[in-house]
Amino acid sequence: MSCAVRLRTGNSPSSITNIYDKLLETKSLRHGKIVHQHLLKNTSHNSPILLAKLTRLYITCNELDLASRVFRTIPYPQRKNNVVLWNHMIRAYAWKGPFDRAIDLYYEMVESGVTPTNFTYPFVLKACSSLQALQDGKRIHDHARRLGLESDVYICTALVDFYAKCGCLVDARKVFDKMYDTDVVAWNAMISGSSLHGLYGDTMRLIVQMQEAGLSPNSSTVAAILPAIGEGNQLSQGKTVHAYCVRRSFHSDVVVATGLLDMYGKCGCLVYASRVFDIMGVKNEVTWGAMIGAYISCDFVSEALELYNQMLIGNGICSSPVIIGSVLRAWTKLTDLSGGRRVHGYIIKAGFDYSLMMGNTLLSMYAKCGTIEDVVRLFDEMGVKDSVTYNAIISGCAQNGKAKEAIVIFQEMQLSGIKPDLATMVGFLPACSHLAALQHGACAHCFSAVSGFTTETSICNALIDMYSKCGKVDIARLVFDRMQKRDIVSWNAMIFGYGIHGLGKEAILLFHDMQIAGLRPDDVTFICLLYACSHSGLVAEGKKWFVDMNQDFCIVPRMEHYICMVDLLGRAGLLNEARSFIERMPCDPDVCVWSALLSACKIHKNIELAEEVSNKIQCLGPESTGNFVILSHMYSAAGRWDAAANVRIAQRDLGFKKSPGCSWVEINGVVHAFVGGDQSHPHSAEIYRKLEDMLIDMKRLGYRSESSFVFQDVEEEEKESILLYHSEKLAVTFGILSLGSDKPILVTKNLRICVDCHTALKYITIITKRKITVRDASRFHHFRDGICNCGDFW
DNA sequence: ATAGGGTTAG
């Protein structure tokens, strides 16, 4: 059609309007744009009706920006009166987004005096629902009520959907219950809302009620409930739904089938997931994303990456932000930083939107791969942050030994106005556990209680761990006793708590209680139990449980169990038995197994065996520095300085640096750290003076420094001073100076406590009449009135 | 319908 030519021939305005009209009726975007061009040039041809028609055409063609531009040029009275056009504009934005434009248009409509109709509300409410804009939705609900539109079935359904998506399920239910006629769509709104918020029980109850009301779930219902089933790990329920889908022929629907495979993946049933995937006729990007995610959830990470490549190469499907998120999670699970970095580069190069979720995924990858510098840099770059952002960085720090940083960031989070949630606290408490920062931990406990988190099993589990690692095993037990529901982690954490305090009998009692309560011990339970036996010298019990674990509980021992057993036997002085135990192992012992024996050789001063064990460790590649240190200590103790020096030279040549011994003490919520011979603390002078004073009293009571454990060949007096300024002594002394005389002192050390400090602290408890507790890398030492509860071997 | 944060383990 050569309309452009005809338009130039000086027709009268009314005939031109007719031509415009005809062009718009073709519903062709190209024609619309031609009319638009001419209207811009010949403003005299503008008529409100034409402009309205052009707006409609643009809406139909999904050109919302253009539609909106033309809409605004319609003169006021005509625009005001064309309610239908307002509704169309709002509906278009509510469908396609940006959703906030729909809400803005609604407000503009009301403010310019246009009365919304029953068609307006479902659309604007849908926009509120997509944005989870609770306040706006409530206001709009109020408007509809005042207009007497409350019984309109479409509005009610939209309201149910809106409240349910915002998580206000009580309000959703209120609207729902008032409805005269609830159809499948209204039920689906209720059901998908509770499913979206992970309320598995409620979702299933609603399904039953729906069927009792005589309605059958349709494919949308099924698609809505499958994520909740997956998250609730309800495999048998999921299979029932699958069967229902087959009966109703929903299973060939790509949305339902994708939901099914995702559900199987989340339930850990990879075989079923991939079977659904394989027989699917139509697969889209979401299907591939779900399958890749299923592989990752089931720990088949390299298979997931392989599938991703298959998708790109053989199936013509491009990456999407969601799939890239999954790929990042795969590298995270492999703790493969370079893989993660490559994906990060790809995200930048491909120009993917840097959404909050993508940022959080990247942050979590860097955090789990242990590069705190990258985490902090990314964190600072992120413009928008939410609680997940903070949770990722806090737990990332806590899991990578940066507990002090975790505390600082937790404080920053509170200043930023983002409220810590349940996951924040569960991720933060281990940082307190690690530092034995009881005051921070107790504050976190109070905050959790006030926020209503302490009814949750996960938070109580973290609290049990925190209190027992902060030396308060009694409070840990109180938390344990008051829990409404305990899971396997609760019992394991409590048993381990008793173990580190040398309370083996209590650990065994709890192990029995656990079985009476109907819980089946798992592999971790036995690690905790054997550890407890080992640290309380309960050799016979430990041996018995090791056998029972295999025979009665069908748990195949892992390396960790063997390590516990070698530790148990070795600690008790049964060095030969420990060695033959290792020789009988059905699998090859790793370095940690031999290290456990080497530590035992040190306790029982058996240099010959230590040398032999040390050679084995050398052959395996001595992964850690601790083994060199032990052997060198033993040679030193025997006065064999040359041998000790050779070990240290070998250690240096192989590139192993001794990690410095570090001790810390929490005073009024501030953690003070010390290394050996440290003079950097502001109160250093006082601390050293106090220590020297105490040394005089200690000597009077019979203390002799264990100078054989100084590893350089130096004069006695010098040895004494090297020992005197060990980090644990400095931290204890600072505690004595800073805390009231009735207060017990808790010091934490990153390595095992040294023999001399162990002896010295006993004397210090007598001199200062204080209780002193040291948590070293291995366990708790409770010093009281000149004795330690560890029984002097550790 | 697919992506982000959390508890026990020498």
Side-chain angles (χ1 to χ4, degrees):
Chain A
M1 212 195 282
S2 57
C3 30
V5 180
R6 278 204 261 155
L7 280 168
R8 275 196 211 101
T9 58
N11 311 41
S12 70
S14 66
S15 67
I16 288 178
T17 307
N18 280 336
I19 296 167
Y20 285 159
D21 225 14
K22 286 221 174 71
L23 280 177
L24 290 179
E25 270 164 23
T26 63
K27 306 254 176 204
S28 136
L29 179 59
R30 192 168 63 89
H31 293 160
K33 283 187 175 169
I34 291 165
V35 173
H36 195 173
Q37 287 285 313
H38 286 280
L39 288 180
L40 288 174
K41 276 186 215 144
N42 309 292
T43 41
S44 62
H45 296 159
N46 281 1
S47 84
I49 294 171
L50 261 185
L51 290 169
K53 282 192 175 174
L54 183 57
T55 308
R56 282 291 297 276
L57 174 65
Y58 276 143
I59 292 174
T60 314
C61 299
N62 262 327
E63 292 286 345
L64 295 193
D65 283 345
L66 292 171
S68 168
R69 216 175 297 161
V70 179
F71 180 64
R72 306 223 163 264
T73 63
I74 302 175
Y76 175 69
Q78 283 86 358
R79 182 154 47 115
K80 183 186 167 225
N81 293 327
N82 198 342
V83 186
V84 175
L85 195 57
W86 282 97
N87 287 349
H88 273 108
M89 285 297 298
I90 292 172
R91 182 175 77 156
Y93 279 120
W95 272 44
K96 273 209 60 174
F99 303 116
D100 48 344
R101 297 283 270 281
I103 301 175
D104 289 344
L105 268 172
Y106 169 81
Y107 284 134
E108 198 187 326
M109 173 184 191
V110 175
E111 276 155 25
S112 41
V114 186
T115 309
T117 68
N118 54 342
F119 281 98
T120 319
Y121 286 100
F123 304 141
V124 69
L125 284 167
K126 185 182 177 299
C128 295
S129 148
S130 302
L131 288 173
Q132 303 205 357
L134 186 59
Q135 295 311 318
D136 288 310
K138 278 185 174 173
R139 252 167 89 184
I140 291 163
H141 181 185
D142 207 42
H143 293 177
R145 192 183 294 138
R146 271 184 272 158
L147 290 172
L149 296 170
E150 230 188 351
S151 55
D152 182 290
V153 62
Y154 291 103
I155 296 179
C156 285
T157 307
L159 281 167
V160 171
D161 174 69
F162 157 71
Y163 280 120
K165 282 236 169 54
C166 291
C168 303
L169 291 155
V170 177
D171 296 284
R173 189 74 209 206
K174 260 189 225 157
V175 179
F176 185 79
D177 287 339
K178 273 194 209 150
M179 290 175 74
Y180 294 114
D181 183 25
T182 44
D183 59 2
V184 179
V185 183
W187 278 99
N188 284 353
M190 268 314 292
I191 290 166
S192 68
S194 55
S195 170
L196 186 73
H197 290 91
L199 303 166
Y200 173 77
D202 285 354
T203 308
M204 285 338 225
R205 270 189 292 280
L206 282 164
I207 292 281
V208 173
Q209 288 171 13
M210 174 185 185
Q211 287 171 307
E212 282 168 357
L215 293 165
S216 303
N218 64 14
S219 60
S220 305
T221 325
V222 171
I225 60 169
L226 284 170
I229 296 175
E231 237 154 77
N233 224 326
Q234 303 289 334
L235 182 60
S236 59
Q237 187 64 258
K239 285 183 179 171
T240 311
V241 174
H242 192 171
Y244 176 81
C245 291
V246 175
R247 284 202 300 277
R248 301 275 320 259
S249 304
F250 294 156
H251 61 297
S252 50
D253 180 324
V254 65
V255 175
V256 171
T258 303
L260 283 168
L261 93 78
D262 176 60
M263 176 276 294
Y264 282 126
K266 290 211 172 91
C267 293
C269 199
L270 191 60
V271 182
Y272 279 45
S274 58
R275 201 179 299 165
V276 173
F277 182 77
D278 289 341
I279 60 172
M280 277 174 77
V282 183
K283 297 184 180 86
N284 61 22
E285 172 215 306
V286 180
T287 317
W288 285 88
M291 193 63 228
I292 292 168
Y295 272 119
I296 298 171
S297 307
C298 299
D299 282 324
F300 285 80
V301 180
S302 49
E303 286 81 355
L305 291 170
E306 205 174 291
L307 192 71
Y308 171 69
N309 284 328
Q310 252 183 58
M311 177 193 87
L312 292 179
I313 297 163
N315 292 277
I317 292 188
C318 297
S319 280
S320 68
V322 175
I323 291 177
I324 285 296
S326 286
V327 171
L328 265 175
R329 205 173 121 223
W331 293 113
T332 308
K333 265 211 168 171
L334 294 168
T335 52
D336 184 327
L337 183 61
S338 61
R341 273 195 214 282
R342 273 202 308 280
V343 179
H344 190 175
Y346 174 73
I347 291 168
I348 295 169
K349 232 173 35 199
F352 278 119
D353 273 351
Y354 232 73
S355 67
L356 180 60
M357 220 186 211
M358 187 70 96
N360 288 343
T361 311
L362 279 166
L363 199 66
S364 148
M365 183 275 289
Y366 284 120
K368 294 240 173 67
C369 293
T371 63
I372 291 298
E373 306 78 49
D374 287 294
V375 173
V376 171
R377 197 175 54 228
L378 189 66
F379 182 76
D380 290 340
E381 279 172 17
M382 284 174 70
V384 186
K385 298 180 179 105
D386 65 357
S387 65
V388 177
T389 318
Y390 277 98
N391 299 350
I393 193 167
I394 289 170
S395 62
C397 287
Q399 287 161 7
N400 284 295
K402 307 267 180 189
K404 271 189 131 176
E405 287 84 345
I407 290 181
V408 172
I409 295 167
F410 179 66
Q411 286 162 343
E412 273 176 29
M413 177 179 188
Q414 284 160 300
L415 292 175
S416 80
I418 294 172
K419 210 170 148 11
D421 58 18
L422 181 77
T424 317
M425 303 317 288
V426 176
F428 174 66
L429 281 166
C432 306
S433 305
H434 185 258
L435 290 171
L438 180 61
Q439 284 158 49
H440 283 287
C443 279
H445 185 183
C446 292
F447 180 85
S448 304
V450 171
S451 309
F453 301 155
T454 41
T455 50
E456 287 291 321
T457 306
S458 56
I459 204 102
C460 294
N461 294 346
L463 284 170
I464 291 169
D465 179 61
M466 184 276 290
Y467 278 119
S468 56
K469 287 187 181 154
C470 288
K472 301 287 181 188
V473 71
D474 297 346
I475 303 183
R477 182 60 196 250
L478 269 178
V479 173
F480 179 84
D481 285 338
R482 289 181 187 170
M483 284 173 79
Q484 294 166 2
K485 219 175 144 233
R486 299 178 194 94
D487 62 9
I488 186 84
V489 177
S490 325
W491 292 91
N492 292 353
M494 197 63 233
I495 291 172
F496 188 72
Y498 281 133
I500 52 179
H501 286 275
L503 298 167
K505 295 241 164 62
E506 282 80 352
I508 293 173
L509 277 175
L510 203 65
F511 176 73
H512 287 300
D513 289 347
M514 170 183 187
Q515 286 162 271
I516 293 166
L519 261 96
R520 213 181 154 68
D522 67 1
D523 50 342
V524 178
T525 314
F526 282 99
I527 294 172
C528 299
L529 185 66
L530 292 173
Y531 179 91
C533 291
S534 168
H535 283 264
S536 303
L538 301 171
V539 181
E541 286 86 345
K543 284 186 186 171
K544 172 183 151 28
W545 292 123
F546 184 76
V547 174
D548 288 2
M549 168 178 86
N550 206 343
Q551 287 179 355
D552 299 349
F553 295 94
C554 303
I555 294 170
V556 180
R558 275 196 287 136
M559 206 55 86
E560 283 81 358
H561 299 104
Y562 290 112
I563 295 166
C564 285
M565 284 307 289
V566 171
D567 194 65
L568 175 92
L569 297 168
R571 231 173 250 281
L574 306 167
L575 295 177
N576 289 325
E577 195 176 338
R579 184 178 156 194
S580 57
F581 179 86
I582 296 176
E583 282 159 2
R584 287 199 315 273
M585 276 172 63
C587 50
D588 290 334
D590 72 359
V591 175
C592 298
V593 175
W594 290 113
S595 301
L597 184 55
L598 185 61
S599 307
C601 292
K602 184 192 166 190
I603 298 171
H604 299 286
K605 303 195 166 77
N606 185 335
I607 291 204
E608 292 72 35
L609 186 57
E611 280 180 316
E612 189 193 322
V613 172
S614 179
N615 285 333
K616 300 262 194 208
I617 293 175
Q618 298 302 328
C619 294
L620 289 168
E623 285 175 19
S624 84
T625 313
N627 299 316
F628 289 107
V629 176
I630 292 173
L631 195 64
S632 138
H633 283 194
M634 292 179 69
Y635 283 131
S636 303
R640 291 167 59 182
W641 306 111
D642 289 349
N646 285 336
V647 172
R648 286 202 311 279
I649 290 165
Q651 173 190 336
R652 196 192 55 206
D653 290 351
L654 287 165
F656 285 90
K657 265 204 258 161
K658 181 179 185 281
S659 52
C662 176
S663 302
W664 56 89
V665 59
E666 186 194 37
I667 309 286
N668 298 326
V670 179
V671 176
H672 299 261
F674 298 87
V675 293
D678 198 334
Q679 302 202 4
S680 62
H681 194 274
H683 296 287
S684 247
E686 273 175 78
I687 296 168
Y688 281 74
R689 215 176 307 127
K690 179 71 183 173
L691 250 177
E692 278 151 24
D693 288 350
M694 287 197 298
L695 180 65
I696 296 167
D697 292 334
M698 282 154 65
K699 282 189 173 163
R700 205 173 289 145
L701 289 170
Y703 165 78
R704 292 289 168 269
S705 68
E706 300 250 358
S707 50
S708 63
F709 279 88
V710 177
F711 316 113
Q712 291 101 354
D713 187 9
V714 289
E715 292 303 319
E716 280 300 316
E717 198 177 318
E718 206 177 325
K719 281 181 194 170
E720 191 175 76
S721 70
I722 291 170
L723 287 170
L724 188 60
Y725 306 133
H726 268 179
S727 65
E728 48 268 57
K729 290 201 191 86
L730 296 175
V732 166
T733 310
F734 184 61
I736 291 171
L737 288 170
S738 311
L739 295 170
S741 58
D742 55 329
K743 294 273 188 300
I745 291 166
L746 169 62
V747 163
T748 311
K749 192 183 177 194
N750 64 337
L751 307 173
R752 288 196 185 185
I753 189 170
C754 96
V755 182
D756 180 67
C757 288
H758 196 263
T759 309
L761 289 178
K762 290 182 195 166
Y763 284 98
I764 294 176
T765 55
I766 298 174
I767 296 167
T768 61
K769 300 188 177 57
R770 281 186 193 254
K771 293 177 179 175
I772 297 173
T773 302
V774 174
R775 190 189 85 186
D776 72 1
S778 176
R779 59 166 292 155
F780 273 90
H781 300 266
H782 295 284
F783 298 94
R784 309 263 182 286
D785 308 320
I787 50 170
C788 175
N789 78 325
C790 76
D792 289 349
F793 64 95
W794 60 92

